[in-house]
Amino acid sequence: MYNKGLYSEWVPKPVQLLLIVLLLAVVMPIGGVYTGNISYLTGGTGAMTEYFMWANYATTIGMGACMPIVLRMKMRFKVRDKMVALLVILAFLNFVNATTLQPMVFVFTSLLIGFMKMMITIELFLPLMMMIGNRGMFYGLFYTFVLVMNQVATYYAAEVAVSYNWQQFYILTSVLCLILALIHWIFMHNKYFALKVPLHYIDWLSILLFISTFMFSAYVLSFGKQQDWLNSQNIINASIAAFTSFALLTIRQLTLKRPYLSFKIFAKNNVQHGLFMLIWLGMFLGTASIQNTFAVGVLGYDSVTNARLSMLMIPGIILAGGIAVFWFKKEKPLKMFIFSGFAAMMGYAIIMYFSMVLEFNYENWYLPMFLKGYGMCALFISVWFYTLDKLEMDDMLAAIGLVLVWRTFLAVGLFSAVFSWFQYHFQVIAIGDLAVYMDGMTITPQNVASNMKAIQLNAIIVAGKKLFGYIILAGLGVLVYVLTHHFGRDRFQYLRFIRVLGGKSVIARRRLRERKKLLEEIKDAAGPAV
């Protein structure tokens, strides 16, 4: 009656692994919009770019909203019925995106895609965790694969949009989902995972409040610059709505017998420091807006060339994943691995600070993008592992949605919005400073137009350099913090020679190893959601 695997017993193990990898390769990169084709969406629909930024954030919010209920959904339905239905729904949502011209439809479908995608991916985590055994090694392999597939999807979304049109990539994704649905209808078993549980214990009002809180926040971060922040009544109203929704959500969780979210884990030391480090990871990932402005606005790259830059991160991602597997296999302390990730991000920022010139060649991107790929993958693995370490499964599932939204949406979205505003502000200041040299002796009326273009490009470069300079200064503080943080290890240790001679320390270490192994086996694999 019950089967904790995914596929029928007659399916060979290598074929099962191949089907899981194929499902991961298709489902994990799926989103309502792709950063590689946003410019084509803007041109094809006539809508503002901010709508598609909002839709991009909505996918992450949908994943976070689904996370606290994934285990109950997993135990409520038969594996094959649920998987096939979700793949068909994803195919339908992608088809809707391919045929609509309304930007709000993209926002709504992106939210649903994130929600449905999380229900599929939770089915894949547990079998992979059982195969690999070590949670840290699993993070290393899983994040490496998913991040590589995300970069590939970003590039091919732009490539297909140029070769055909932006609708074709959604049609292709829809067809792939339908093919996977047919394959899994054949190979999956039709049994429950465990004892069937009811759905009426799920508090759907809390889910709506969760979505409302972060969707209003995403609106503020997406449209803040375009509507001049607090000078816009829409931004003020959305901010009030987000705060009110979060207050109601918090009050409701404190009064429910079975709360949708749990705030208990946020009192733990490793969770607090992990969230702090995720903020600074968001700062470095938010530099994508500065990089795009420089690549497109100054160097004149088209969308495909700009998307190809993401492919340059793949060697660094693979290296970080390989080091992570080795690191966790040897059970080495996390401090230096986390330090290497932030140091790589610092190296990327320093190189970009000194290399932002009009004569920047494409080959100059190789080293900074390699460092950025390494830093991103290393920090995704190590900081996420540290944040969720030593948490009970029930507590982790009840709060993982908030942590996921914090990492992938709030931190990145906040710094992207701040960088975008400051880049515009610094650019205006730079033009004012450069205007000192604009007079009739240096710029004649005949060549004023060509010189104005050069001044504008130099103002963009000056603004970008200034932002990277501040990021480097903040990064130095982050490196000092990582070096001085204890990461769960005792700051002071005393040798107890009597216990060593008596053999008690050996027994204690063995018991700790056994307990750690047991906890890793029962630890839920919901943490790696991207």
Side-chain angles (χ1 to χ4, degrees):
M1 183 177 179
Y2 304 129
N3 189 334
K4 297 186 183 299
L6 290 179
Y7 300 97
S8 300
E9 295 179 357
W10 56 267
V11 181
K13 297 295 183 182
V15 176
Q16 293 186 25
L17 180 59
L18 177 63
L19 290 174
I20 291 175
V21 171
L22 182 62
L23 198 59
L24 279 173
V26 174
V27 172
M28 289 308 298
I30 285 181
V33 297
Y34 302 91
T35 54
N37 67 354
I38 285 182
S39 60
Y40 299 101
L41 288 172
T42 303
T45 61
M48 294 185 295
T49 306
E50 285 77 11
Y51 280 105
F52 301 107
M53 293 173 58
W54 191 17
N56 190 32
Y57 294 143
T59 303
T60 303
I61 294 169
M63 294 174 66
C66 182
M67 184 66 78
I69 65 172
V70 287
L71 195 58
R72 183 168 290 272
M73 299 295 289
K74 177 180 176 62
M75 298 174 69
R76 172 60 179 81
F77 300 102
K78 294 180 179 179
V79 174
R80 186 177 70 181
D81 295 345
K82 186 178 77 168
M83 188 70 73
V84 172
L86 290 172
L87 287 170
V88 172
I89 293 173
L90 285 178
F92 172 74
L93 292 174
N94 276 275
F95 180 76
V96 170
N97 284 344
T99 55
T100 186
L101 296 178
Q102 299 299 322
M104 286 306 298
V105 173
F106 281 92
V107 176
F108 181 70
T109 56
S110 297
L111 182 67
L112 291 179
I113 285 174
F115 198 90
M116 303 300 171
K117 185 170 90 169
M118 182 50 62
M119 288 192 223
I120 294 178
T121 52
I122 193 63
E123 297 287 352
L124 308 177
F125 294 155
L126 296 179
L128 289 174
M129 277 283 289
M130 291 176 63
M131 293 179 190
I132 298 172
N134 185 301
R135 189 166 66 97
M137 294 174 61
F138 168 69
Y139 280 16
L141 294 172
F142 180 81
Y143 268 124
T144 302
F145 179 79
V146 171
L147 290 176
V148 168
M149 293 308 303
N150 284 342
Q151 313 315 315
V152 172
T154 298
Y155 170 72
Y156 278 103
E159 184 70 37
V160 172
V162 169
S163 302
Y164 304 97
N165 52 54
W166 60 267
Q167 291 97 333
Q168 295 302 316
F169 193 77
Y170 290 106
I171 295 293
L172 176 62
T173 303
S174 182
V175 171
L176 289 175
C177 288
L178 290 177
I179 293 173
L180 284 175
L182 178 60
I183 292 174
H184 284 76
W185 177 261
I186 298 172
F187 290 101
M188 274 191 163
H189 66 75
N190 195 29
K191 298 179 181 179
Y192 288 100
F193 172 77
L195 183 67
K196 184 179 176 181
V197 297
L199 292 182
H200 62 264
Y201 290 133
I202 297 176
D203 185 45
W204 297 102
L205 179 58
S206 293
I207 296 178
L208 291 176
L209 289 173
F210 181 96
I211 293 173
S212 173
T213 298
F214 294 107
M215 286 299 289
F216 279 119
S217 302
Y219 178 87
V220 172
L221 296 178
S222 300
F223 287 88
K225 177 185 174 183
Q226 186 264 337
Q227 298 192 18
D228 199 16
W229 297 102
L230 295 180
N231 290 321
S232 167
Q233 189 62 42
N234 290 335
I235 298 297
I236 294 175
N237 292 339
S239 302
I240 295 173
F243 178 79
T244 304
S245 299
F246 185 72
L248 293 174
L249 176 66
T250 304
I251 294 171
R252 185 163 180 81
Q253 303 320 297
L254 297 176
T255 56
L256 283 175
K257 182 179 179 181
R258 298 180 182 89
Y260 166 71
L261 294 175
S262 172
F263 301 100
K264 290 192 298 184
I265 70 166
F266 297 103
K268 294 184 178 293
N269 184 268
N270 63 303
V271 175
Q272 294 172 355
H273 286 278
L275 293 176
F276 181 74
M277 286 185 283
L278 288 174
I279 290 177
W280 301 112
L281 173 59
M283 177 188 72
F284 286 111
L285 295 180
T287 56
S289 61
I290 311 173
Q291 176 185 308
N292 289 337
T293 301
F294 175 63
V296 177
V298 177
L299 302 181
Y301 289 172
D302 57 22
S303 297
V304 176
T305 305
N306 189 38
R308 194 178 292 125
L309 295 179
S310 63
M311 299 286 282
L312 299 180
M313 292 194 290
I314 291 179
I317 292 172
I318 294 175
L319 177 62
I323 293 176
V325 171
F326 169 80
W327 208 275
F328 286 107
K329 185 177 181 180
K330 299 295 184 181
E331 297 187 353
K332 293 180 175 292
L334 278 176
K335 174 181 287 191
M336 295 313 298
F337 188 45
I338 295 177
F339 181 83
S340 71
F342 279 114
M345 285 296 196
M346 276 285 292
Y348 161 78
I350 292 172
I351 293 174
M352 292 305 299
Y353 177 83
F354 288 106
S355 300
M356 291 181 71
V357 292
L358 293 173
E359 299 79 19
F360 195 91
N361 295 323
Y362 188 82
E363 291 76 13
N364 297 126
W365 287 107
Y366 292 163
L367 180 58
M369 297 309 291
F370 173 84
L371 293 174
K372 185 177 183 180
Y374 175 88
M376 178 175 66
C377 186
L379 293 174
F380 264 56
I381 296 168
S382 57
V383 177
W384 195 248
F385 180 91
Y386 173 69
T387 304
L388 301 181
D389 194 23
K390 300 176 183 178
L391 296 181
E392 296 296 334
M393 183 175 65
D394 293 339
D395 293 340
M396 186 176 71
L397 280 177
I400 193 68
L402 284 173
V403 181
L404 173 64
V405 171
W406 175 279
R407 180 196 69 181
T408 312
F409 158 56
L410 282 179
V412 179
L414 176 62
F415 278 104
S416 296
V418 169
F419 290 161
S420 180
W421 186 87
F422 272 107
Q423 188 158 34
Y424 172 77
H425 180 67
F426 290 155
Q427 189 176 332
V428 172
I429 295 176
I431 290 177
D433 295 337
L434 292 170
V436 175
Y437 304 99
M438 297 170 60
D439 56 36
M441 298 297 294
T442 57
I443 300 179
T444 61
Q446 290 77 17
N447 60 2
V448 65
S450 60
N451 280 277
M452 283 298 293
K453 180 180 179 181
I455 289 173
Q456 180 70 25
L457 293 179
N458 279 281
I460 296 175
I461 291 176
V462 169
K465 279 179 172 286
K466 188 176 290 188
L467 276 174
F468 271 115
Y470 286 121
I471 291 169
I472 292 169
L473 293 177
L476 290 173
V478 175
L479 291 180
V480 173
Y481 161 79
V482 173
L483 284 177
T484 55
H485 184 54
H486 56 86
F487 288 97
R489 296 179 67 87
D490 294 334
R491 291 184 178 87
F492 305 100
Q493 294 181 349
Y494 301 95
L495 293 176
R496 300 184 178 182
F497 293 102
I498 297 176
R499 289 194 175 184
V500 172
L501 294 174
K504 295 183 179 180
S505 64
V506 177
I507 297 174
R509 285 197 300 269
R510 187 174 64 189
R511 288 177 177 172
L512 285 174
R513 284 197 300 268
E514 291 174 353
R515 183 173 181 273
K516 184 177 180 182
K517 183 179 179 181
L518 179 62
L519 288 175
E520 286 179 350
E521 289 175 353
I522 65 173
K523 179 81 73 171
D524 189 270
V530 180

